[in-house]
Coordinates of all heavy atoms in Angstrom, one line a residue:
V1 N -186.8 -28.8 -44.9 CA -186.4 -28.7 -46.3 C -185.2 -27.8 -46.4 O -185.1 -26.7 -45.8 CB -187.5 -28.1 -47.1 CG1 -187.1 -28.0 -48.6 CG2 -188.8 -29.0 -47.0
N2 N -184.1 -28.3 -47.1 CA -182.9 -27.5 -47.3 C -182.7 -27.2 -48.7 O -183.2 -28.0 -49.6 CB -181.7 -28.2 -46.7 CG -181.6 -28.2 -45.2 OD1 -182.6 -27.9 -44.5 ND2 -180.4 -28.5 -44.7
V3 N -181.9 -26.2 -49.0 CA -181.4 -26.0 -50.3 C -179.9 -25.7 -50.2 O -179.5 -25.0 -49.2 CB -182.1 -24.9 -51.1 CG1 -182.0 -23.6 -50.4 CG2 -181.7 -24.8 -52.5
E4 N -179.1 -26.2 -51.1 CA -177.7 -25.9 -51.0 C -177.4 -24.6 -51.6 O -177.8 -24.2 -52.7 CB -176.9 -27.0 -51.8 CG -175.4 -26.9 -51.7 CD -174.6 -28.0 -52.4 OE1 -175.2 -28.8 -53.1 OE2 -173.4 -28.1 -52.1
L5 N -176.6 -23.8 -50.8 CA -176.2 -22.5 -51.3 C -175.0 -22.6 -52.2 O -174.1 -23.4 -52.0 CB -175.9 -21.6 -50.1 CG -177.0 -21.4 -49.1 CD1 -176.5 -20.6 -47.9 CD2 -178.2 -20.6 -49.8
G6 N -175.0 -21.7 -53.2 CA -173.9 -21.8 -54.2 C -173.0 -20.5 -54.2 O -173.2 -19.7 -53.3
S7 N -172.1 -20.5 -55.1 CA -171.2 -19.4 -55.2 C -170.9 -19.1 -56.6 O -171.0 -20.0 -57.5 CB -169.9 -19.6 -54.3 OG -169.2 -20.6 -54.9
I8 N -170.5 -17.9 -56.9 CA -170.1 -17.5 -58.2 C -168.7 -16.7 -58.1 O -168.6 -15.9 -57.2 CB -171.1 -16.5 -58.9 CG1 -172.4 -17.3 -59.2 CG2 -170.6 -15.9 -60.2 CD1 -173.6 -16.4 -59.6
S9 N -167.8 -17.1 -58.9 CA -166.5 -16.4 -58.8 C -165.9 -16.2 -60.2 O -166.3 -16.8 -61.2 CB -165.5 -17.2 -57.9 OG -165.3 -18.5 -58.5
G10 N -164.9 -15.3 -60.3 CA -164.3 -15.0 -61.6 C -163.1 -14.1 -61.4 O -162.7 -13.8 -60.3
H11 N -162.5 -13.7 -62.5 CA -161.4 -12.9 -62.5 C -161.6 -11.7 -63.5 O -162.2 -11.9 -64.5 CB -160.1 -13.6 -62.9 CG -159.6 -14.6 -61.9 ND1 -160.1 -15.8 -61.7 CD2 -158.6 -14.4 -60.9 CE1 -159.5 -16.4 -60.7 NE2 -158.6 -15.6 -60.2
K12 N -161.0 -10.6 -63.1 CA -161.0 -9.4 -63.9 C -159.6 -9.2 -64.4 O -158.6 -9.2 -63.7 CB -161.4 -8.2 -63.1 CG -161.2 -6.8 -63.8 CD -162.1 -6.6 -64.9 CE -161.8 -5.3 -65.6 NZ -162.5 -5.2 -66.9
L13 N -159.5 -9.2 -65.8 CA -158.1 -9.1 -66.4 C -158.0 -7.9 -67.4 O -159.0 -7.5 -68.0 CB -157.9 -10.4 -67.2 CG -157.9 -11.7 -66.4 CD1 -157.8 -12.9 -67.3 CD2 -156.8 -11.8 -65.4
E14 N -156.8 -7.4 -67.4 CA -156.5 -6.4 -68.5 C -155.8 -7.1 -69.6 O -154.9 -8.0 -69.3 CB -155.6 -5.3 -67.9 CG -155.2 -4.3 -69.0 CD -154.2 -3.3 -68.5 OE1 -154.0 -3.2 -67.2 OE2 -153.7 -2.5 -69.3
D15 N -156.2 -6.8 -70.8 CA -155.6 -7.5 -72.0 C -154.7 -6.4 -72.7 O -155.3 -5.4 -73.2 CB -156.6 -8.0 -72.9 CG -156.1 -8.9 -74.0 OD1 -155.3 -8.4 -74.9 OD2 -156.3 -10.1 -73.9
A16 N -153.4 -6.6 -72.7 CA -152.5 -5.5 -73.2 C -152.8 -5.1 -74.6 O -152.7 -3.9 -75.0 CB -151.1 -5.9 -73.0
D17 N -153.1 -6.1 -75.5 CA -153.2 -5.7 -76.9 C -154.7 -5.6 -77.3 O -155.0 -5.4 -78.5 CB -152.4 -6.6 -77.9 CG -153.0 -8.1 -77.9 OD1 -153.9 -8.3 -77.1 OD2 -152.4 -8.9 -78.6
G18 N -155.6 -5.9 -76.4 CA -157.1 -5.8 -76.7 C -157.6 -6.9 -77.5 O -158.7 -6.8 -78.0
S19 N -156.8 -7.9 -77.8 CA -157.2 -9.1 -78.6 C -157.3 -10.3 -77.7 O -156.3 -10.7 -77.1 CB -156.2 -9.3 -79.7 OG -156.5 -10.6 -80.3
L20 N -158.5 -10.9 -77.6 CA -158.7 -12.1 -76.8 C -158.0 -13.3 -77.4 O -157.8 -14.3 -76.7 CB -160.2 -12.3 -76.6 CG -160.9 -11.3 -75.8 CD1 -162.4 -11.6 -75.7 CD2 -160.3 -11.0 -74.4
G21 N -157.6 -13.2 -78.7 CA -156.9 -14.3 -79.3 C -155.5 -14.6 -78.7 O -155.0 -15.7 -78.7
T22 N -154.9 -13.5 -78.1 CA -153.6 -13.7 -77.5 C -153.9 -13.5 -76.0 O -154.3 -12.5 -75.5 CB -152.6 -12.6 -77.9 OG1 -153.3 -11.3 -77.7 CG2 -152.3 -12.7 -79.4
T23 N -153.6 -14.6 -75.2 CA -153.9 -14.6 -73.8 C -152.7 -14.4 -72.9 O -152.8 -14.3 -71.7 CB -154.7 -15.9 -73.4 OG1 -153.9 -17.0 -73.8 CG2 -156.0 -15.9 -74.1
G24 N -151.5 -14.5 -73.4 CA -150.3 -14.4 -72.6 C -150.1 -13.0 -72.1 O -149.2 -12.7 -71.3
D25 N -150.9 -12.0 -72.6 CA -150.7 -10.6 -72.2 C -151.7 -10.1 -71.2 O -151.9 -8.9 -71.1 CB -150.7 -9.7 -73.5 CG -152.0 -9.9 -74.3 OD1 -152.8 -10.8 -74.0 OD2 -152.3 -9.0 -75.1
Q26 N -152.4 -11.0 -70.5 CA -153.5 -10.6 -69.6 C -153.0 -10.6 -68.2 O -152.3 -11.5 -67.7 CB -154.7 -11.6 -69.8 CG -155.3 -11.5 -71.2 CD -156.5 -12.5 -71.3 OE1 -156.7 -13.4 -70.6 NE2 -157.2 -12.3 -72.4
T27 N -153.3 -9.5 -67.5 CA -152.8 -9.3 -66.1 C -154.0 -9.0 -65.2 O -155.0 -8.3 -65.7 CB -151.8 -8.2 -66.0 OG1 -152.2 -7.0 -66.7 CG2 -150.5 -8.6 -66.7
P28 N -154.0 -9.4 -64.0 CA -155.1 -9.1 -63.1 C -155.3 -7.6 -62.8 O -154.4 -6.8 -62.9 CB -154.7 -9.7 -61.7 CG -153.6 -10.7 -62.1 CD -152.9 -10.1 -63.3
V29 N -156.6 -7.2 -62.7 CA -156.9 -5.8 -62.3 C -157.5 -5.8 -60.9 O -158.5 -6.5 -60.6 CB -157.9 -5.2 -63.3 CG1 -158.2 -3.8 -62.9 CG2 -157.3 -5.3 -64.7
E30 N -156.9 -5.0 -60.0 CA -157.3 -5.0 -58.6 C -158.3 -3.8 -58.5 O -158.2 -2.8 -59.2 CB -156.1 -4.7 -57.7 CG -156.4 -4.8 -56.3 CD -155.1 -4.6 -55.4 OE1 -154.1 -4.3 -56.0 OE2 -155.2 -4.8 -54.2
N31 N -159.2 -4.0 -57.5 CA -160.1 -2.9 -57.0 C -161.0 -2.4 -58.1 O -161.3 -1.2 -58.2 CB -159.2 -1.7 -56.5 CG -159.9 -0.9 -55.4 OD1 -160.8 -1.5 -54.7 ND2 -159.6 0.3 -55.3
W32 N -161.5 -3.4 -58.9 CA -162.6 -3.0 -59.9 C -163.9 -3.5 -59.3 O -164.0 -4.6 -58.8 CB -162.3 -3.8 -61.2 CG -162.9 -3.2 -62.4 CD1 -164.2 -3.3 -62.8 CD2 -162.3 -2.3 -63.4 NE1 -164.5 -2.6 -63.9 CE2 -163.3 -2.0 -64.3 CE3 -161.0 -1.8 -63.6 CZ2 -163.1 -1.2 -65.5 CZ3 -160.8 -1.0 -64.7 CH2 -161.8 -0.7 -65.6
T33 N -164.9 -2.7 -59.4 CA -166.2 -3.0 -58.8 C -167.0 -4.0 -59.7 O -167.2 -3.8 -60.9 CB -167.1 -1.7 -58.6 OG1 -166.3 -0.9 -57.7 CG2 -168.4 -2.1 -58.0
I34 N -167.4 -5.1 -59.0 CA -168.3 -6.1 -59.7 C -169.6 -6.2 -58.9 O -169.6 -6.3 -57.7 CB -167.5 -7.5 -59.6 CG1 -166.1 -7.4 -60.1 CG2 -168.4 -8.6 -60.3 CD1 -166.0 -7.2 -61.6
T35 N -170.7 -6.2 -59.7 CA -172.0 -6.2 -59.0 C -172.8 -7.4 -59.5 O -172.7 -7.8 -60.6 CB -172.8 -4.9 -59.4 OG1 -172.0 -3.8 -59.1 CG2 -174.1 -4.8 -58.6
L36 N -173.5 -8.0 -58.5 CA -174.2 -9.2 -58.7 C -175.7 -8.9 -58.7 O -176.2 -8.2 -57.8 CB -173.9 -10.3 -57.7 CG -174.7 -11.6 -57.8 CD1 -174.1 -12.4 -59.0 CD2 -174.5 -12.5 -56.6
Y37 N -176.4 -9.4 -59.7 CA -177.9 -9.2 -59.8 C -178.5 -10.6 -59.9 O -178.0 -11.5 -60.5 CB -178.3 -8.4 -61.0 CG -177.7 -7.0 -61.1 CD1 -176.4 -6.8 -61.5 CD2 -178.5 -5.9 -60.7 CE1 -175.9 -5.5 -61.6 CE2 -177.9 -4.6 -60.8 CZ -176.6 -4.5 -61.2 OH -176.1 -3.2 -61.3
K38 N -179.7 -10.8 -59.3 CA -180.5 -12.0 -59.4 C -181.6 -11.7 -60.3 O -182.5 -10.9 -60.0 CB -181.0 -12.4 -58.0 CG -181.6 -13.9 -58.1 CD -181.8 -14.4 -56.6 CE -182.3 -15.8 -56.6 NZ -183.7 -15.9 -56.9
D39 N -181.5 -12.2 -61.5 CA -182.5 -11.9 -62.6 C -183.8 -12.5 -62.5 O -184.2 -13.4 -63.2 CB -181.8 -12.2 -64.0 CG -182.6 -11.6 -65.2 OD1 -183.3 -10.6 -65.0 OD2 -182.4 -12.2 -66.3
D40 N -184.6 -12.1 -61.4 CA -185.8 -12.8 -61.1 C -186.9 -12.7 -62.2 O -187.7 -13.5 -62.3 CB -186.4 -12.2 -59.8 CG -185.6 -12.7 -58.6 OD1 -185.1 -13.8 -58.6 OD2 -185.5 -11.9 -57.6
N41 N -186.8 -11.6 -63.0 CA -187.8 -11.6 -64.1 C -187.3 -12.1 -65.4 O -187.9 -12.1 -66.5 CB -188.3 -10.1 -64.3 CG -187.2 -9.2 -64.7 OD1 -186.1 -9.6 -64.9 ND2 -187.6 -7.9 -64.8
H42 N -186.1 -12.7 -65.4 CA -185.5 -13.5 -66.5 C -185.5 -12.7 -67.8 O -185.8 -13.3 -68.9 CB -186.2 -14.8 -66.6 CG -186.3 -15.6 -65.4 ND1 -185.1 -16.2 -64.8 CD2 -187.3 -15.9 -64.5 CE1 -185.5 -16.8 -63.7 NE2 -186.7 -16.6 -63.5
D43 N -185.2 -11.5 -67.8 CA -185.1 -10.7 -69.0 C -183.7 -10.4 -69.4 O -183.5 -9.7 -70.4 CB -185.9 -9.4 -68.9 CG -185.3 -8.5 -67.8 OD1 -184.4 -8.9 -67.1 OD2 -185.8 -7.3 -67.6
N44 N -182.7 -11.0 -68.7 CA -181.3 -10.8 -69.0 C -180.9 -9.4 -68.8 O -179.9 -9.0 -69.4 CB -180.9 -11.3 -70.4 CG -180.4 -12.8 -70.3 OD1 -180.3 -13.4 -69.3 ND2 -180.1 -13.3 -71.5
I45 N -181.7 -8.6 -68.1 CA -181.3 -7.2 -67.9 C -181.1 -7.0 -66.4 O -181.9 -7.5 -65.6 CB -182.4 -6.2 -68.4 CG1 -182.5 -6.3 -69.9 CG2 -182.1 -4.8 -67.9 CD1 -183.7 -5.6 -70.5
A46 N -180.0 -6.4 -66.0 CA -179.6 -6.2 -64.6 C -180.4 -5.0 -64.1 O -179.9 -3.9 -64.1 CB -178.1 -6.0 -64.5
D47 N -181.7 -5.2 -63.7 CA -182.5 -4.2 -63.2 C -182.0 -3.7 -61.8 O -181.6 -4.6 -61.0 CB -184.0 -4.6 -63.1 CG -184.5 -5.1 -64.4 OD1 -184.6 -4.3 -65.3 OD2 -184.8 -6.3 -64.6
P48 N -182.0 -2.4 -61.5 CA -181.5 -2.0 -60.3 C -182.1 -2.7 -59.0 O -181.3 -3.0 -58.1 CB -181.8 -0.5 -60.3 CG -181.9 -0.1 -61.7 CD -182.4 -1.3 -62.4
A49 N -183.3 -3.0 -59.1 CA -184.0 -3.6 -58.0 C -183.5 -5.1 -57.8 O -183.8 -5.7 -56.7 CB -185.5 -3.6 -58.1
E50 N -182.8 -5.6 -58.8 CA -182.4 -7.0 -58.7 C -181.0 -7.1 -58.1 O -180.4 -8.2 -58.0 CB -182.4 -7.6 -60.1 CG -183.9 -7.8 -60.6 CD -183.9 -8.3 -62.0 OE1 -183.0 -8.1 -62.8 OE2 -185.0 -8.9 -62.4
Q51 N -180.3 -6.0 -57.8 CA -179.0 -6.0 -57.2 C -179.0 -6.7 -55.9 O -179.8 -6.4 -55.0 CB -178.4 -4.6 -57.1 CG -177.0 -4.6 -56.5 CD -176.4 -3.2 -56.5 OE1 -176.7 -2.4 -57.3 NE2 -175.5 -3.0 -55.5
V52 N -178.1 -7.7 -55.7 CA -178.1 -8.5 -54.4 C -176.7 -8.3 -53.7 O -176.6 -8.5 -52.5 CB -178.4 -10.0 -54.6 CG1 -179.9 -10.1 -55.0 CG2 -177.5 -10.6 -55.7
A53 N -175.7 -8.0 -54.4 CA -174.4 -7.9 -53.8 C -173.4 -7.1 -54.7 O -173.6 -7.0 -55.9 CB -173.8 -9.3 -53.5
Q54 N -172.3 -6.6 -54.0 CA -171.3 -5.8 -54.8 C -170.0 -6.1 -54.1 O -169.9 -6.2 -52.9 CB -171.7 -4.3 -54.8 CG -170.8 -3.5 -55.8 CD -171.4 -2.1 -56.0 OE1 -171.5 -1.3 -55.0 NE2 -171.8 -1.8 -57.2
T55 N -168.9 -6.2 -54.9 CA -167.6 -6.4 -54.3 C -166.6 -5.8 -55.2 O -166.9 -5.2 -56.3 CB -167.3 -7.9 -54.1 OG1 -166.1 -8.1 -53.4 CG2 -167.2 -8.6 -55.5
T56 N -165.3 -5.8 -54.8 CA -164.2 -5.3 -55.7 C -163.2 -6.5 -55.8 O -163.1 -7.3 -55.0 CB -163.6 -4.1 -55.1 OG1 -163.1 -4.4 -53.8 CG2 -164.5 -2.9 -55.1
T57 N -162.5 -6.4 -56.9 CA -161.5 -7.5 -57.2 C -160.3 -7.3 -56.3 O -160.0 -6.2 -55.9 CB -161.1 -7.4 -58.7 OG1 -160.6 -6.1 -59.0 CG2 -162.2 -7.8 -59.6
D58 N -159.7 -8.4 -55.9 CA -158.5 -8.4 -55.1 C -157.2 -8.3 -55.9 O -157.3 -8.0 -57.1 CB -158.5 -9.6 -54.1 CG -158.3 -10.9 -54.9 OD1 -157.9 -10.9 -56.1 OD2 -158.5 -12.0 -54.3
A59 N -156.1 -8.4 -55.3 CA -154.8 -8.2 -55.9 C -154.6 -9.2 -57.1 O -153.8 -9.0 -58.0 CB -153.6 -8.3 -54.9
N60 N -155.3 -10.3 -57.1 CA -155.2 -11.3 -58.1 C -156.3 -11.1 -59.2 O -156.5 -12.0 -60.0 CB -155.3 -12.7 -57.6 CG -154.2 -13.1 -56.6 OD1 -153.0 -12.8 -56.9 ND2 -154.5 -13.6 -55.5
G61 N -157.1 -10.0 -59.1 CA -158.2 -9.8 -60.0 C -159.4 -10.6 -59.7 O -160.3 -10.6 -60.5
A62 N -159.4 -11.3 -58.6 CA -160.4 -12.3 -58.3 C -161.6 -11.6 -57.5 O -161.4 -10.7 -56.7 CB -159.9 -13.4 -57.4
Y63 N -162.8 -12.2 -57.8 CA -164.0 -11.8 -57.0 C -164.8 -13.0 -56.7 O -164.7 -14.0 -57.5 CB -164.8 -10.7 -57.7 CG -165.4 -11.2 -59.0 CD1 -166.6 -11.9 -59.1 CD2 -164.8 -11.0 -60.2 CE1 -167.2 -12.4 -60.3 CE2 -165.3 -11.5 -61.4 CZ -166.5 -12.2 -61.4 OH -167.0 -12.6 -62.6
Q64 N -165.6 -13.0 -55.7 CA -166.4 -14.2 -55.3 C -167.7 -13.7 -54.6 O -167.6 -12.8 -53.7 CB -165.6 -15.2 -54.5 CG -166.4 -16.4 -54.2 CD -165.6 -17.5 -53.5 OE1 -164.8 -17.2 -52.6 NE2 -165.8 -18.8 -53.8
F65 N -168.8 -14.3 -54.9 CA -170.0 -14.1 -54.2 C -170.4 -15.5 -53.7 O -170.4 -16.5 -54.4 CB -171.1 -13.6 -55.1 CG -170.8 -12.3 -55.8 CD1 -170.4 -12.2 -57.1 CD2 -170.9 -11.1 -55.0 CE1 -170.1 -10.9 -57.7 CE2 -170.6 -9.9 -55.6 CZ -170.2 -9.8 -56.9
T66 N -170.8 -15.5 -52.4 CA -171.1 -16.8 -51.7 C -172.5 -16.7 -51.1 O -173.1 -15.7 -51.0 CB -170.1 -17.2 -50.7 OG1 -170.0 -16.2 -49.7 CG2 -168.7 -17.4 -51.3
G67 N -173.0 -17.9 -50.6 CA -174.2 -17.9 -49.9 C -175.4 -17.6 -50.8 O -176.4 -17.1 -50.3
L68 N -175.3 -18.1 -52.1 CA -176.4 -17.7 -53.0 C -177.4 -18.8 -53.2 O -177.1 -20.0 -53.3 CB -175.7 -17.5 -54.4 CG -174.6 -16.4 -54.5 CD1 -174.1 -16.4 -55.9 CD2 -175.2 -15.1 -54.0
L69 N -178.7 -18.4 -53.1 CA -179.8 -19.3 -53.4 C -179.8 -19.6 -54.9 O -179.2 -18.9 -55.7 CB -181.1 -18.6 -53.1 CG -181.4 -18.4 -51.6 CD1 -182.6 -17.5 -51.3 CD2 -181.7 -19.8 -50.9
P70 N -180.4 -20.8 -55.3 CA -180.5 -21.1 -56.7 C -181.2 -20.0 -57.5 O -182.1 -19.4 -56.9 CB -181.3 -22.4 -56.7 CG -181.1 -23.0 -55.4 CD -181.0 -21.8 -54.4
G71 N -180.8 -19.8 -58.7 CA -181.4 -18.7 -59.5 C -180.6 -18.4 -60.7 O -179.6 -18.9 -61.0
D72 N -181.1 -17.4 -61.4 CA -180.5 -16.9 -62.6 C -179.8 -15.6 -62.3 O -180.4 -14.6 -62.0 CB -181.6 -16.7 -63.7 CG -181.1 -16.3 -65.0 OD1 -179.8 -16.4 -65.2 OD2 -181.9 -16.0 -65.9
Y73 N -178.5 -15.6 -62.3 CA -177.7 -14.4 -61.9 C -177.0 -13.7 -63.0 O -176.7 -14.3 -64.0 CB -176.6 -14.8 -60.9 CG -177.2 -15.2 -59.5 CD1 -177.6 -16.5 -59.3 CD2 -177.4 -14.3 -58.5 CE1 -178.1 -16.9 -58.0 CE2 -177.9 -14.6 -57.3 CZ -178.3 -15.9 -57.0 OH -178.8 -16.2 -55.8
L74 N -176.9 -12.4 -62.9 CA -176.1 -11.6 -63.8 C -175.0 -11.0 -63.1 O -175.2 -10.4 -62.0 CB -177.0 -10.5 -64.5 CG -178.2 -11.0 -65.2 CD1 -179.2 -9.9 -65.5 CD2 -177.8 -11.7 -66.5
I75 N -173.8 -11.0 -63.6 CA -172.6 -10.4 -63.0 C -172.2 -9.3 -64.0 O -172.1 -9.5 -65.2 CB -171.4 -11.4 -62.9 CG1 -171.9 -12.6 -62.2 CG2 -170.2 -10.8 -62.2 CD1 -171.4 -13.9 -62.8
K76 N -172.0 -8.1 -63.4 CA -171.8 -6.9 -64.2 C -170.6 -6.2 -63.7 O -170.5 -5.9 -62.4 CB -173.0 -6.0 -64.3 CG -173.1 -5.1 -65.5 CD -174.5 -4.5 -65.6 CE -174.5 -3.5 -66.7 NZ -175.8 -2.8 -66.8
E77 N -169.7 -5.8 -64.5 CA -168.6 -5.0 -64.0 C -168.9 -3.5 -64.3 O -169.6 -3.2 -65.3 CB -167.3 -5.4 -64.7 CG -167.3 -5.1 -66.2 CD -165.9 -5.3 -66.8 OE1 -164.9 -4.8 -66.2 OE2 -165.8 -5.8 -67.9
E78 N -168.3 -2.6 -63.5 CA -168.5 -1.2 -63.7 C -167.7 -0.8 -65.0 O -166.7 -1.4 -65.4 CB -168.0 -0.4 -62.5 CG -166.5 -0.5 -62.4 CD -165.9 0.4 -61.3 OE1 -166.6 1.4 -61.0 OE2 -164.9 0.1 -60.7
S79 N -168.1 0.3 -65.6 CA -167.4 0.9 -66.7 C -166.6 2.0 -66.1 O -167.1 2.8 -65.3 CB -168.3 1.4 -67.8 OG -169.0 0.3 -68.4
Q80 N -165.3 2.2 -66.6 CA -164.5 3.3 -66.1 C -164.0 4.1 -67.3 O -163.7 3.5 -68.3 CB -163.3 2.8 -65.3 CG -163.6 2.2 -63.9 CD -162.4 1.9 -63.1 OE1 -161.3 2.3 -63.4 NE2 -162.6 1.3 -62.0
S81 N -164.0 5.4 -67.1 CA -163.5 6.2 -68.3 C -162.0 5.9 -68.5 O -161.2 5.6 -67.6 CB -163.7 7.7 -67.9 OG -162.8 8.0 -66.9
G82 N -161.7 5.9 -69.8 CA -160.3 5.6 -70.2 C -160.1 4.1 -70.5 O -159.0 3.7 -70.9
W83 N -161.2 3.3 -70.3 CA -161.1 1.8 -70.5 C -162.3 1.4 -71.4 O -163.3 2.0 -71.4 CB -161.2 1.0 -69.2 CG -160.1 1.3 -68.2 CD1 -159.9 2.4 -67.5 CD2 -159.1 0.3 -67.9 NE1 -158.8 2.2 -66.7 CE2 -158.3 0.9 -66.9 CE3 -158.8 -1.0 -68.3 CZ2 -157.2 0.3 -66.3 CZ3 -157.7 -1.6 -67.7 CH2 -156.9 -0.9 -66.8
T84 N -162.1 0.4 -72.2 CA -163.2 -0.2 -72.9 C -163.1 -1.7 -72.8 O -162.0 -2.2 -72.7 CB -163.2 0.3 -74.4 OG1 -164.4 -0.1 -75.0 CG2 -162.0 -0.3 -75.2
N85 N -164.3 -2.3 -72.9 CA -164.3 -3.8 -72.7 C -164.1 -4.5 -74.0 O -164.5 -4.0 -75.1 CB -165.7 -4.2 -72.1 CG -166.8 -3.7 -73.0 OD1 -167.0 -2.5 -73.2 ND2 -167.6 -4.7 -73.5
V86 N -163.3 -5.6 -74.0 CA -163.1 -6.4 -75.1 C -163.8 -7.8 -75.0 O -163.8 -8.6 -75.9 CB -161.6 -6.7 -75.5 CG1 -161.0 -5.3 -75.9 CG2 -160.9 -7.2 -74.3
S87 N -164.5 -8.0 -73.8 CA -165.4 -9.1 -73.6 C -166.6 -8.5 -73.0 O -166.5 -7.4 -72.5 CB -164.8 -10.2 -72.8 OG -164.5 -9.8 -71.5
P88 N -167.8 -9.2 -73.0 CA -169.0 -8.5 -72.4 C -168.8 -8.0 -71.0 O -168.2 -8.7 -70.2 CB -170.0 -9.7 -72.5 CG -169.5 -10.6 -73.6 CD -168.0 -10.5 -73.5
V89 N -169.5 -6.9 -70.7 CA -169.4 -6.3 -69.3 C -170.4 -7.1 -68.5 O -170.4 -6.9 -67.2 CB -169.8 -4.8 -69.3 CG1 -168.7 -4.0 -70.0 CG2 -171.1 -4.5 -69.9
Q90 N -171.3 -7.9 -69.1 CA -172.3 -8.6 -68.3 C -172.2 -10.1 -68.6 O -172.1 -10.5 -69.8 CB -173.7 -8.1 -68.6 CG -174.8 -8.8 -67.8 CD -176.1 -8.1 -68.1 OE1 -176.3 -7.0 -67.9 NE2 -177.1 -8.9 -68.6
I91 N -172.2 -11.0 -67.6 CA -172.2 -12.4 -67.7 C -173.5 -13.0 -67.1 O -173.9 -12.6 -66.0 CB -171.0 -13.0 -67.0 CG1 -169.7 -12.4 -67.5 CG2 -170.9 -14.5 -67.2 CD1 -168.5 -12.8 -66.7
D92 N -174.1 -13.9 -67.8 CA -175.2 -14.6 -67.4 C -174.8 -16.0 -66.8 O -174.1 -16.7 -67.4 CB -176.2 -14.8 -68.5 CG -177.5 -15.4 -68.1 OD1 -177.7 -15.7 -66.9 OD2 -178.4 -15.5 -69.0
Q93 N -175.2 -16.3 -65.5 CA -174.8 -17.5 -64.9 C -175.9 -18.1 -64.1 O -176.4 -17.5 -63.1 CB -173.5 -17.3 -64.1 CG -173.0 -18.6 -63.5 CD -171.6 -18.5 -63.0 OE1 -170.9 -17.5 -63.3 NE2 -171.1 -19.5 -62.3
D94 N -176.3 -19.3 -64.4 CA -177.3 -20.0 -63.6 C -176.6 -20.6 -62.4 O -175.5 -21.1 -62.5 CB -178.0 -21.1 -64.4 CG -178.8 -20.6 -65.5 OD1 -179.3 -19.5 -65.4 OD2 -179.0 -21.3 -66.5
N95 N -177.2 -20.5 -61.2 CA -176.6 -21.0 -60.0 C -177.5 -22.1 -59.3 O -178.6 -22.0 -59.3 CB -176.3 -19.8 -59.1 CG -175.5 -20.2 -57.9 OD1 -174.3 -20.7 -58.1 ND2 -175.9 -20.0 -56.7
Ligands
LIG1 CA1 -154.5 -10.3 -75.8
LIG2 CA1 -183.9 -8.6 -64.9

């Protein structure tokens, strides 16, 4: 019996004016920590015990997690002082 392994990827961007309505002012952010959780108890909360991987964004702001079993995953970015989020810090993604 086999199961196909999946992947989750995305980009971390800085928005110059803090408004998502204007997208021409977004630039990649490098070296930002992104953490992947497998939400096994399906409560949409990234419980520490559910952490499965961690990475940092590359020069293009890109991150990718591979070799993932099917499941309900949460992707969470770290918070850094001096920055605030204008889109959710946590994304829910079925894989
Ligand atoms: Ca903008
Ligand atoms: Ca959970």
Side-chain angles (χ1 to χ4, degrees):
V1 179
N2 284 17
V3 62
E4 186 175 10
L5 298 175
S7 65
I8 293 173
S9 60
H11 286 84
K12 168 69 182 169
L13 302 172
E14 176 183 354
D15 192 292
D17 67 359
S19 169
L20 295 178
T22 54
T23 54
D25 59 344
Q26 296 178 346
T27 51
V29 179
E30 186 178 8
N31 210 26
W32 200 282
T33 300
I34 308 290
T35 308
L36 181 70
Y37 300 81
K38 191 165 184 285
D39 191 24
D40 284 328
N41 62 2
H42 306 290
D43 62 356
N44 266 359
I45 295 170
D47 302 295
E50 295 175 334
Q51 180 176 331
V52 291
Q54 192 167 63
T55 189
T56 53
T57 55
D58 67 14
N60 299 315
Y63 64 86
Q64 185 173 36
F65 299 104
T66 59
L68 303 178
L69 290 167
D72 187 8
Y73 288 89
L74 301 170
I75 306 138
K76 202 170 177 182
E77 65 168 321
E78 68 172 335
S79 297
Q80 288 190 9
S81 65
W83 296 73
T84 190
N85 57 298
V86 292
S87 66
V89 295
Q90 181 177 299
I91 304 170
D92 188 356
Q93 185 162 348
D94 294 333
N95 192 56

